[in-house]
Amino acid sequence: RANTLSGTYEVTVKTQRWTRTMSMKYTESRLNRKSFAEITSPKKDAGNRFLLIGSDMWHYVPKIQQTIKIAPSMMLQSWMGSDFSNDDIVKESSILHDYTHKLLGTEKMSGMDVYRVELIPKTDAAVVWGKILYFARTSDFLPVKQEFYSERGELRKVLTCSEFKTIGGRLIPTVYKMQPAGKDRYTIMEIKDISFNIHIPARVFTLQNLTRK
């Protein structure tokens, strides 16, 4: 896993009645637990920006030119009307830092041998899930699927990872599909371009950058 990354993503929300696509730039410093995301299209959504510093998150809304602090209770809410939550978009590194990990064994999935790992939140972690089941290929440890459970043990949604390609000099899944449990809708996030371990200026992860004109 890289210490920093920066890339462009395409996000498509698919329901029975409509389909909506957005483009996004995303930058992350995993060592500092900071990330910054900005919607670049379509025009009506462009300029929406999201900043994470530690466990604090802000959303800049260009239509009203205001910054909204995302409370912990809002982290499970939909991000830009998609099936990804605010937590999903900005807290990828949380899986490493905020959970204990237990190897449950191996199994077959789509013809691949995968590890099944149980993630339980640490007592002091500011996380929203009661448990995550994480499936990774035994050959290279790349993620295949994640199942997200509530504190009551109810399956809430499933993330599947596919289209493994060498991009930015690394073999990674480039398509991520998030689907709520029991729902006939889903959101696909596709990596279009990405760079790893690059220098990211400190000003990127600031409130000034979040609200820039």
Side-chain angles (χ1 to χ4, degrees):
R1 300 175 67 87
N3 293 328
T4 65
L5 62 87
S6 182
T8 56
Y9 296 66
E10 186 174 271
V11 182
T12 301
V13 185
K14 179 74 173 178
T15 73
Q16 286 185 311
R17 295 181 293 176
W18 51 268
T19 299
R20 175 169 166 253
T21 299
M22 298 174 284
S23 295
M24 173 182 74
K25 290 182 179 179
Y26 179 78
T27 303
E28 181 180 357
S29 174
R30 289 198 171 110
L31 290 179
N32 298 323
R33 301 195 71 181
K34 297 179 180 180
S35 63
F36 187 89
E38 179 175 2
I39 304 298
T40 56
S41 70
K43 186 176 180 179
K44 68 183 183 69
D45 295 318
N48 277 275
R49 303 182 190 120
F50 302 83
L51 172 66
L52 179 84
I53 301 176
S55 58
D56 295 320
M57 180 180 176
W58 296 266
H59 175 196
Y60 175 71
V61 185
K63 287 183 179 179
I64 59 176
Q65 297 185 7
Q66 288 190 3
T67 300
I68 300 170
K69 178 74 179 292
I70 305 297
S73 59
M74 298 173 62
M75 293 303 286
L76 271 181
Q77 291 188 2
S78 169
W79 176 81
M80 296 298 292
S82 74
D83 297 297
F84 288 89
S85 66
N86 291 318
D87 186 74
D88 295 323
I89 294 298
V90 297
K91 296 188 71 176
E92 182 182 348
S93 62
S94 170
I95 283 180
L96 297 178
H97 300 284
D98 294 334
Y99 293 84
T100 60
H101 308 81
K102 180 181 179 181
L103 179 62
L104 299 182
T106 60
E107 58 185 81
K108 286 282 189 180
M109 184 176 292
S110 301
M112 297 178 289
D113 292 318
V114 300
Y115 291 115
R116 186 183 188 194
V117 183
E118 181 183 61
L119 280 63
I120 300 296
K122 296 177 181 178
T123 54
D124 59 344
V127 298
V128 296
W129 301 111
K131 178 179 73 174
I132 300 174
L133 288 182
Y134 194 101
F135 301 84
R137 305 197 303 191
T138 60
S139 58
D140 50 21
F141 312 115
L142 290 176
V144 176
K145 185 171 75 167
Q146 295 177 44
E147 297 177 353
F148 299 87
Y149 292 82
S150 69
E151 292 182 350
R152 296 181 178 180
E154 302 165 330
L155 177 63
R156 290 296 179 85
K157 59 183 181 179
V158 177
L159 175 68
T160 53
C161 311
S162 61
E163 299 297 322
F164 293 85
K165 299 177 183 178
T166 299
I167 183 172
R170 293 172 180 242
L171 179 65
I172 57 171
T174 60
V175 175
Y176 300 80
K177 178 182 178 182
M178 185 72 81
Q179 185 162 17
K183 301 284 187 175
D184 190 19
R185 60 169 288 159
Y186 58 84
T187 298
I188 288 179
M189 182 178 295
E190 181 178 0
I191 298 175
K192 308 303 282 187
D193 183 59
I194 196 166
S195 299
F196 297 100
N197 287 330
I198 60 173
H199 172 69
I200 300 173
R203 66 177 181 273
V204 170
F205 306 113
T206 62
L207 290 171
Q208 290 78 12
N209 187 41
L210 187 73
T211 59
R212 72 183 190 278
K213 302 299 182 184

